[in-house]
Amino acid sequence: LQFTEEKLGQAEKTELDAHFENLLARADCTKNWTEKILRQTEVLLQPNPSARVEEFLYEKLDRKVPSRVTNGELLAQYMTEAANDFGPGTPYGKTLIKVGETQRRLGAAERDFIHSASLNFLTPLRNFLEGDWRTISKERRILQNRRLDLDACKARLKKAKAAEAKAGVIF
């Protein structure tokens, strides 16, 4: 009732401290940017949406995500196979072997980077959103409910004093 009356402009609303309001605004801003950064980093690390969904499901089911071959590693594999078909002694075969080996190392470095970024960058962001932010939201709801209770009590007190003054005037 208090909330509805406040929204309709029929009841007074106790304002929170300006510093506290600033902290709440900063917390909201932090949450929004953290979500955006998390999503975009996930897109950067795994551009394939279906693979991201698969990884998400594995994570939610507490299962180990199967290791994927990176595009660089796959290219290296093709180059090595092609080099073997052309013959490792031919100039083209030797070149494919060298480039394939370099591509394999690049693919392995990419896999290490993805793993490291996920572990050291995305995990803390998720921990904030799933832990700290939930706590902040819960405490904010509790504070809002307490403020509404306080304002409702103030309104009842005001009505009681008005009724008492009106009754005192009649006698």
Side-chain angles (χ1 to χ4, degrees), residues 7 10 16 18 22 28 32 53 87 130 151 159 166:
K7 290 299 178 187
Q10 297 174 348
L16 299 173
N22 184 27
D28 288 335
N32 291 335
V53 169
E130 293 171 3
D151 289 349
K159 285 179 186 176
K166 189 177 181 182

Side-chain angles (χ1 to χ4, degrees), residues 98-147:
K98 284 182 183 179
V99 174
E101 180 58 30
T102 303
Q103 204 59 43
R104 186 193 59 75
R105 287 196 309 261
L106 283 171
E110 180 185 5
R111 182 186 310 188
D112 290 344
F113 169 73
I114 290 170
H115 176 72
S116 175
S118 179
L119 187 65
N120 299 319
F121 185 70
L122 294 178
T123 300
L125 295 179
R126 282 190 192 106
N127 289 343
F128 168 75
L129 291 172
E130 293 171 3
D132 297 341
W133 182 252
R134 283 188 180 167
T135 303
I136 290 169
S137 297
K138 178 182 163 195
E139 295 299 328
R140 180 185 269 178
R141 280 191 303 276
I142 291 171
L143 177 64
Q144 180 73 358
N145 288 335
R146 297 292 190 265
R147 187 197 57 75

Side-chain angles (χ1 to χ4, degrees), residues 8-151:
L8 295 174
Q10 297 174 348
E12 291 182 34
K13 177 180 177 181
T14 302
E15 295 298 324
L16 299 173
D17 181 47
H19 177 68
F20 187 73
E21 289 286 347
N22 184 27
L23 286 175
L24 289 175
R26 284 179 45 205
D28 288 335
C29 185
T30 301
K31 178 210 178 246
N32 291 335
W33 280 110
T34 301
E35 286 176 334
K36 288 178 183 179
I37 291 169
L38 177 72
R39 279 192 303 270
Q40 193 57 42
T41 304
E42 288 174 337
V43 168
L44 175 75
L45 295 176
Q46 179 53 269
N48 184 348
S50 61
R52 278 198 313 273
V53 169
E54 182 183 355
E55 288 173 2
F56 176 77
L57 290 174
Y58 274 109
E59 184 180 303
K60 289 300 176 189
L61 295 173
D62 289 331
R63 294 204 146 162
K64 187 176 185 292
V65 179
S67 180
R68 280 197 176 76
V69 176
T70 64
N71 290 332
E73 291 171 317
L74 189 59
L75 178 59
Q77 181 182 345
Y78 290 162
M79 287 180 167
T80 304
E81 290 173 7
N84 290 332
D85 274 355
F86 287 116
T90 64
Y92 189 44
K94 285 180 187 178
T95 303
L96 284 175
I97 288 174
K98 284 182 183 179
V99 174
E101 180 58 30
T102 303
Q103 204 59 43
R104 186 193 59 75
R105 287 196 309 261
L106 283 171
E110 180 185 5
R111 182 186 310 188
D112 290 344
F113 169 73
I114 290 170
H115 176 72
S116 175
S118 179
L119 187 65
N120 299 319
F121 185 70
L122 294 178
T123 300
L125 295 179
R126 282 190 192 106
N127 289 343
F128 168 75
L129 291 172
E130 293 171 3
D132 297 341
W133 182 252
R134 283 188 180 167
T135 303
I136 290 169
S137 297
K138 178 182 163 195
E139 295 299 328
R140 180 185 269 178
R141 280 191 303 276
I142 291 171
L143 177 64
Q144 180 73 358
N145 288 335
R146 297 292 190 265
R147 187 197 57 75
L148 287 170
D149 291 344
L150 173 67
D151 289 349

